[in-house]
Amino acid sequence: MEREYLDEDLRRLATETGFRPTGWSTQEILDFRNLVQCTRAALVDTDLRNMRSLRILSDESGDPCRAQATLKSGRAIDLTFKNSAGRGAVAFGLLTPGTDTHR
């Protein structure tokens, strides 16, 4: 799947090996990079949704294009799935703790 990042820290975390966002543990970084790596291998959103270890749940709004991946620490990553030209894409966003809004 193609990837987009709605948050600059998430983009840097996915593309810069030595980057460590403020407040992120080593385990959270590893979990997020695993999510990104699995996304690279997936062709469509159901490929990702079926990987139980990623802990992807449908969004509470009921929008089938939205979901959340919860890292082991509880930090939530917002996922917005898109389909274009027969290949899927996903946009990663960081949810602010205690809310359902993007940071």
Side-chain angles (χ1 to χ4, degrees):
M1 295 183 77
E2 299 295 322
R3 293 156 313 283
E4 298 174 18
Y5 302 95
L6 304 176
D7 180 272
E8 182 62 16
D9 282 349
L10 293 181
R11 185 200 62 76
R12 290 185 65 197
L13 188 57
T15 60
E16 297 176 23
T17 306
F19 180 69
R20 183 180 183 120
T22 304
W24 283 62
S25 70
T26 301
Q27 187 61 52
E28 287 176 316
I29 292 169
L30 292 173
D31 290 346
F32 179 72
R33 288 186 174 149
N34 181 54
L35 174 62
V36 171
Q37 184 177 21
C38 290
T39 303
R40 285 185 184 124
L43 296 177
V44 294
D45 67 305
T46 52
D47 293 342
L48 283 179
R49 292 177 192 263
N50 290 333
M51 291 183 197
R52 291 180 143 195
S53 64
L54 297 179
R55 298 188 346 255
I56 296 175
L57 299 174
S58 297
D59 191 68
E60 292 177 3
S61 71
D63 184 345
C65 296
R66 305 263 322 263
Q68 290 182 14
T70 304
L71 305 182
K72 291 175 189 166
S73 66
R75 188 182 300 264
I77 306 297
D78 184 62
L79 306 172
T80 303
F81 296 103
K82 305 171 185 181
N83 290 315
S84 59
R87 179 133 172 107
V90 62
F92 294 93
L94 187 59
L95 294 177
T96 305
T99 69
D100 60 354
T101 58
H102 295 282
R103 182 180 71 144

